[in-house]
Amino acid sequence: MSSTTTYNIKRTLKNNTIFIALIVVMMLFQILIVATGNGSLFAPANITNIINQNAYVVILATGMLLCILTGGNIDLSVGSIVAFVGAIAGTLIVNLHWNIYFSILLCLVVGILIGAWHGLWIAFVHIPPFIVTLAGMLLWRGAALIVLNGLTISPMPDSYLALFSSYIPAVSEKLINEDLAKASSITFTVTMLIAAVCCILFIVAEIIKRNSRKAKGYEVTSFGVFISKIVLLCLVIMIVATLLAQDKGLPIILVIVAVIVLVYAYYTQNTVPGRYLYALGGNAKAAKLSGVNTDKVMFFAYTNMGFLSAVAALVCVARFNSAAPTAGTNYEMDAISSCFIGGASAYGGTGTVSGAVVGAVFMGVLNNGMSILGVDSNWQKAVKGLVLLLAVLFDVVSKKKKSSK
């Protein structure tokens, strides 16, 4: 084996540490769950459950990553924004009977305005993000309690739930009751076809990306590593699709999350404004001297966080079929943990959307696996705290090694 090949393999393993750790943790939980007779982590219904339970974490982590990239900044208010926007959604749709689509649009506008309010103080008045978002955490939680008067609003209309809680294909209850085998066959076939199309699109996108980088003279991984990556990820897609196809099909929330992830991954990696986020986090003074309007970049990061918090609120209202004043509790911690576990630097300037997604999945598997095993909730919190500390420790140690070279 040549030194170049060895180097490529080592670099690939290093860049995918969290993905490898995720696979190891899943295998460990599967062995423990089967050994204790508690079923299987990879049961089709459980995979669907993990996706539905952690969709909001992925959405919030995507927005939180942009804040962290600006210099290790975070947003402590996202959980309270989720509660407040959810309270508005419940009031408008259930109590006032407003049009669902107009209510959703209004909720998104409210989220953007809240994010812009935070961004104004952070970017232009230069109050530390920690202070502004801590104030926001208290303010919007109080506002949610005021709007709901401390009460829970439920249930939500079926037409609203269908936007976030339905499945593809939409097999009718009548067909399921009359011919379960036919309904299952339709679900399996459609789900696998969608997965196959996703694999083809992924392969084409990766080939175009690789050729583009080579044409521009950028370094690319060896052909063997490139093929291995494509095969592995396509295999993961098909395995997940197979499990979902054996349950209810493709959750519509997975489609929504996938669109958000793809849009933000492209934005951060392939656009000039997206690269400004990394420049600001890498060296704010140098970025400003280079002509980057750092105040506008910071303003965008927090305004966007408000928007994605509103999206997460709408998702959570559908998932719980209610708007509650306690909704969103500790959601900011889940989002922050996902980003750091997924490889984002505590100092800013480093991290990817895909890493944040893997971090969110890691946290979801950790929660789900420990719940199936019957681990006490207090111990679950302790384990998650330890995992977060280890992730940040890994980042700090890595930074010190690079600086010492």
Side-chain angles (χ1 to χ4, degrees):
M1 186 180 293
S2 66
S3 58
T4 304
T5 304
T6 303
Y7 170 75
N8 282 329
I9 293 174
K10 286 182 177 179
R11 187 177 66 173
T12 302
L13 291 174
K14 185 177 180 181
N15 292 338
N16 295 280
T17 303
I18 183 59
F19 186 71
I20 295 169
L22 173 61
I23 294 174
V24 171
V25 168
M26 291 179 76
M27 291 299 104
L28 178 62
F29 273 125
Q30 174 67 4
I31 293 170
L32 292 174
I33 291 170
V34 171
T36 54
N38 289 308
S40 171
L41 180 69
F42 299 108
N46 193 48
I47 297 299
T48 301
N49 189 39
I50 290 175
I51 292 171
N52 290 330
Q53 283 184 342
N54 295 281
Y56 78 89
V57 182
V58 176
I59 295 170
L60 292 176
T62 301
M64 191 67 71
L65 176 71
L66 270 60
C67 296
I68 291 172
L69 288 177
T70 60
N73 302 304
I74 56 176
D75 190 333
L76 295 174
S77 67
V78 297
S80 297
I81 297 174
V82 167
F84 179 58
V85 174
I88 293 175
T91 301
L92 295 179
I93 297 172
V94 178
N95 291 355
L96 301 180
H97 306 289
W98 282 26
N99 177 272
I100 289 174
Y101 298 101
F102 180 74
S103 300
I104 289 174
L105 179 61
L106 190 59
C107 287
L108 294 176
V109 171
V110 169
I112 292 171
L113 291 175
I114 291 173
W117 170 259
H118 292 164
L120 173 69
W121 299 110
I122 293 168
F124 301 112
V125 184
H126 301 294
I127 299 176
F130 182 87
I131 301 300
V132 173
T133 58
L134 178 61
M137 181 174 70
L138 301 173
L139 171 61
W140 306 119
R141 180 65 64 180
L145 289 166
I146 292 170
V147 171
L148 294 173
N149 196 27
L151 303 175
T152 297
I153 297 176
S154 66
M156 302 299 290
D158 290 339
S159 54
Y160 177 83
L161 297 178
L163 296 174
F164 300 99
S165 303
S166 57
Y167 295 84
I168 301 174
V171 180
S172 65
E173 288 290 336
K174 182 180 179 181
L175 179 60
I176 294 174
N177 294 329
E178 292 179 354
D179 193 342
L180 180 60
K182 184 178 180 181
S184 300
S185 177
I186 293 173
T187 299
F188 188 88
T189 302
V190 173
T191 304
M192 297 309 294
L193 283 175
I194 293 173
V197 170
C198 290
C199 288
I200 293 171
L201 293 175
F202 170 71
I203 292 170
V204 171
E206 285 296 308
I207 292 173
I208 293 173
K209 179 181 176 182
R210 179 181 173 83
N211 291 339
S212 176
R213 289 182 63 85
K214 287 179 71 174
K216 293 176 182 177
Y218 296 150
E219 185 182 4
V220 295
T221 57
S222 66
F223 186 73
V225 172
F226 173 71
I227 293 297
S228 299
K229 174 186 174 183
I230 288 180
V231 171
L232 179 62
L233 289 178
C234 285
L235 185 62
V236 170
I237 291 172
M238 295 308 292
I239 290 174
V240 173
T242 302
L243 293 172
L244 293 176
Q246 294 175 43
D247 189 33
K248 300 176 183 177
L250 190 68
I252 196 69
I253 188 59
L254 181 60
V255 177
I256 295 172
V257 169
V259 170
I260 291 173
V261 168
L262 290 173
V263 168
Y264 280 90
Y266 181 84
Y267 176 81
T268 53
Q269 297 295 321
N270 299 96
T271 68
V272 174
R275 303 309 297 178
Y276 285 167
L277 292 163
Y278 290 91
L280 176 58
N283 191 321
K285 289 183 178 179
K288 195 168 187 177
L289 290 172
S290 300
V292 177
N293 190 326
T294 53
D295 289 345
K296 283 187 177 180
V297 174
M298 187 72 80
F299 180 77
F300 167 77
Y302 280 89
T303 301
N304 176 73
M305 186 72 256
F307 166 70
L308 288 180
S309 296
V311 175
L314 296 171
V315 169
C316 289
V317 167
R319 181 189 163 214
F320 295 116
N321 196 16
S322 65
T326 56
T329 303
N330 291 331
Y331 280 14
E332 57 278 352
M333 298 303 148
D334 292 333
I336 294 167
S337 299
S338 298
C339 290
F340 288 137
I341 290 171
S345 172
Y347 305 103
T350 302
T352 61
V353 172
S354 59
V357 172
V358 174
V361 175
F362 187 95
M363 292 294 289
V365 170
L366 208 59
N367 286 329
N368 187 265
M370 288 191 292
S371 296
I372 294 175
L373 288 172
V375 177
D376 183 77
S377 60
N378 295 321
W379 278 104
Q380 289 187 32
K381 292 177 182 178
V383 170
K384 288 191 289 184
L386 183 60
V387 169
L388 175 59
L389 179 62
L390 291 174
V392 177
L393 177 64
F394 179 79
D395 172 56
V396 172
V397 172
S398 298
K399 283 269 194 264
K400 286 184 177 180
K401 283 184 177 180
K402 286 182 180 179
S403 62
S404 62
K405 289 181 179 179

